[in-house]
């Protein structure tokens, strides 16, 4: 699929005009140089939407966390795109499971900004499903504080599509500890785009989702993560992409984390519009195929 137009470099807004600002330099210190961050070359070669979003963060921890979350969020949002798995000989969706494991005060909260990229996409998603005759209210963002049946119901309303973002992994841990909330098996099915079903008493037919496409982005401390995935033999472990900060002494540098001249709410509102332009473009291109 060929994109018709690249998004503009953004991010200062005056009425209806968007004016570019210079890229924000990421400061290098002796403390951060010794740690394994995502290489600068990766950020230099990102698509404009992601590059401009990442450049809003001065702190390398926050920038890495945001990118991990953004890839999962956008991978789940563009739910009609597929690649071909040469190993298993089948189509696979672009949804991802991203887990950020880091000590307290190390920038994990930046994950919440990745969810902002979906602000406009959520509206387009609901409108699209309404046009297709979906009677229930569709909402692509799914809370981690859920039951197994509730998760399947929401995925069923969305025809298998969903994005789950939580900056506190305890929300998912606490849910999975309950008999009604242990939906680890649903997550495993969803990552592989397999079918999942739910049988209810008193109903003639089970709820069945033939093709689940759920993206997950979670952040938490090492101890919180161990409470969720306590063994490498857990099937959920092998399905995740991990961003692990191993230095327990690492603390977030609160000074100049984000350029003081930038209003993040304003900038992410613009980014959300740009993300939605791509979302609507990919839907329109697929209709023509």
């Amino acid at each position: 699929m060929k994109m018709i137009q690249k998004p503009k470099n953004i991010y200062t807004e005056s009425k209806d005009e968007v004016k570019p600002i210079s890229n924000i330099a990421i400061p290098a210190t002796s403390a951060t140089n010794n740690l394994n961050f995502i290489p600068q070359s990766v950020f230099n070669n990102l698509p404009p939407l992601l590059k401009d979003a990442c450049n809003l963060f001065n702190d390398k921890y926050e920038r890495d966390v945001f990118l991990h979350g953004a890839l999962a969020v956008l991978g789940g949002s563009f739910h009609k795109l597929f690649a071909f798995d040469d190993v298993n000989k089948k189509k696979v969706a672009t949804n991802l499971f991203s887990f950020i494991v880091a000590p307290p005060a190390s920038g994990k909260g930046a994950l919440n900004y990745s969810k902002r990229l979906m602000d406009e996409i959520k509206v387009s998603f609901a409108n699209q499903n309404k046009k297709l005759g979906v009677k229930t209210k569709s909402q692509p963002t799914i809370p981690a504080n859920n039951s197994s049946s509730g998760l399947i119901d929401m995925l069923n309303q969305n025809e298998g599509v969903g994005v789950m973002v939580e900056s506190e992994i305890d929300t998912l841990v606490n849910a999975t500890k309950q008999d009604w909330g242990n939906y680890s098996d649903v997550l495993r099915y969803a990552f592989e785009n397999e079918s999942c079903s739910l049988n209810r008493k008193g109903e003639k037919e089970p709820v069945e989702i033939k093709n689940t496409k759920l993206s997950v982005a979670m952040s938490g401390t090492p101890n919180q993560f161990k409470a969720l995935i306590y063994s490498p033999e857990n099937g959920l472990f092998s399905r995740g992409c991990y961003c692990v900060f191993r230095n327990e002494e690492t603390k977030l540098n609160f000074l100049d984390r984000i350029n003081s001249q930038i209003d993040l709410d304003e900038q992410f509102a613009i980014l959300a519009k740009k993300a939605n332009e791509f979302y609507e473009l990919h839907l329109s291109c697929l209709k023509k195929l």
Side-chain angles (χ1 to χ4, degrees), residues 81-207:
L81 295 181
F82 292 90
F84 188 77
D85 182 355
D86 285 329
V87 176
N88 297 308
K89 306 300 180 185
K90 66 175 185 178
K91 291 195 306 181
V92 290
T94 57
N95 59 295
L96 295 171
F97 283 7
S98 181
F99 296 104
I100 293 93
V101 186
S106 55
K108 298 187 298 297
L111 182 66
N112 289 320
Y113 287 109
S114 65
K115 194 175 181 179
R116 293 288 304 275
L117 295 174
M118 288 189 67
D119 285 353
E120 296 287 333
I121 291 175
K122 289 189 294 186
V123 178
S124 294
F125 181 89
N127 290 338
Q128 175 71 12
N129 280 4
K130 188 175 181 180
K131 291 178 182 178
L132 295 175
V134 178
K135 296 181 180 180
T136 55
K137 185 178 180 180
S138 300
Q139 175 61 268
T141 53
I142 295 178
N145 186 13
N146 216 328
S147 65
S148 179
S149 60
L151 175 58
I152 292 177
D153 276 339
M154 293 190 75
L155 287 171
N156 186 48
Q157 292 170 14
N158 297 344
E159 297 185 340
V161 175
V163 177
M164 184 183 292
V165 182
E166 293 289 349
S167 59
E168 293 296 338
I169 206 169
D170 277 350
T171 305
L172 178 58
V173 172
N174 293 334
T176 55
K177 284 181 179 179
Q178 310 300 322
D179 291 338
W180 48 263
N182 191 354
Y183 51 79
S184 177
D185 58 333
V186 181
L187 295 179
R188 296 195 298 271
Y189 293 142
F191 180 80
E192 300 287 352
N193 309 144
E194 297 175 359
S195 63
C196 61
S197 59
L198 172 67
N199 286 308
R200 285 198 183 93
K201 293 181 179 179
E203 292 191 7
K204 295 181 180 179
E205 296 182 359
V207 175

Side-chain angles (χ1 to χ4, degrees), residues 160-269:
V161 175
V163 177
M164 184 183 292
V165 182
E166 293 289 349
S167 59
E168 293 296 338
I169 206 169
D170 277 350
T171 305
L172 178 58
V173 172
N174 293 334
T176 55
K177 284 181 179 179
Q178 310 300 322
D179 291 338
W180 48 263
N182 191 354
Y183 51 79
S184 177
D185 58 333
V186 181
L187 295 179
R188 296 195 298 271
Y189 293 142
F191 180 80
E192 300 287 352
N193 309 144
E194 297 175 359
S195 63
C196 61
S197 59
L198 172 67
N199 286 308
R200 285 198 183 93
K201 293 181 179 179
E203 292 191 7
K204 295 181 180 179
E205 296 182 359
V207 175
E208 182 176 4
I209 308 169
K210 293 183 179 180
N211 193 284
T212 50
K213 294 168 284 188
L214 175 67
S215 262
V216 175
M218 299 274 177
S219 64
T221 64
N223 287 335
Q224 290 172 333
F225 181 75
K226 289 176 184 177
L228 176 65
I229 304 177
Y230 45 84
S231 168
E233 296 180 3
N234 184 306
L236 192 58
F237 177 80
S238 63
R239 289 163 169 80
C241 303
Y242 299 92
C243 178
V244 182
F245 299 148
R246 299 185 181 279
N247 190 345
E248 294 295 334
E249 297 181 357
T250 297
K251 296 294 180 183
L252 187 63
N253 180 11
F254 288 96
L255 183 63
D256 293 331
R257 287 169 52 191
I258 299 171
N259 190 313
S260 60
Q261 298 177 356
I262 293 176
D263 184 330
L264 282 186
D265 287 335
E266 177 182 292
Q267 304 313 315
F268 273 98

